[in-house]
Amino acid sequence: MKFIKKIISCIKKRKKYKKGSYTSIILKDRKYIRKKIAEEAFEFCCEIKKKPNKKKFVNEFCDILFHSLVIFEYYKINFKLVKKEMIRRNNN
C-alpha cells in the first residue's frame, strides 16, 4: 500500500501546486475522468481477450488505477476505505 500512498500524495500535490499538469487539469472535469476510466478499462479488457502482452497488460492496469485514484481525490474519498472493504471481504 505504500506505493498507493505515494501516488495519492503525488495527485494531491499536483492538484495544489502544478496547475498546468495533466492531473490538475483532469481533476476539474469529472466527466473526463469517468471517460478515461471507461476507456482504460476497455483497453484492459481487450488485452484480457487475447494472450496479453505483459507490458501492455500492466500499463493498462496502471492507467485504470491512476484514474481511479484521481476520481477518489475528486470526490474526496479516502482510499483507506478500499483497504478496509478488501479486508472485510477477505474475512468473509
Side-chain angles (χ1 to χ4, degrees):
M1 286 295 282
K2 285 184 182 180
F3 80 96
I4 296 285
K5 288 180 182 179
K6 286 183 179 182
I7 296 167
I8 292 168
S9 176
C10 182
I11 290 168
K12 290 176 184 286
K13 286 177 186 173
R14 289 181 181 171
K15 177 183 178 182
K16 189 171 183 177
Y17 300 113
K18 294 199 174 189
K19 297 299 179 194
S21 72
Y22 173 73
T23 305
S24 69
I25 292 168
I26 67 171
L27 273 163
K28 297 174 186 169
D29 190 346
R30 177 184 51 87
K31 288 181 182 178
Y32 180 81
I33 302 168
R34 183 182 66 202
K35 178 181 160 217
K36 285 301 291 182
I37 292 170
E39 174 187 317
E40 300 303 344
F42 176 77
E43 291 173 3
F44 184 73
C45 288
C46 288
E47 283 300 307
I48 293 170
K49 284 174 43 176
K50 56 188 177 185
K51 184 175 185 232
N53 171 298
K54 287 181 186 179
K55 182 175 171 51
K56 189 162 183 181
F57 189 81
V58 169
N59 285 342
E60 296 303 341
F61 180 79
C62 288
D63 289 343
I64 294 168
L65 179 60
F66 172 75
H67 288 93
S68 296
L69 293 173
V70 169
I71 202 70
F72 269 75
E73 177 61 24
Y74 179 90
Y75 283 116
K76 308 246 186 288
I77 299 171
N78 193 317
F79 196 75
K80 289 179 184 178
L81 294 172
V82 173
K83 180 180 177 182
K84 185 177 176 180
E85 177 62 15
M86 293 301 287
I87 290 169
R88 185 193 69 74
R89 290 179 182 198
N90 192 46
N91 290 331
N92 286 335

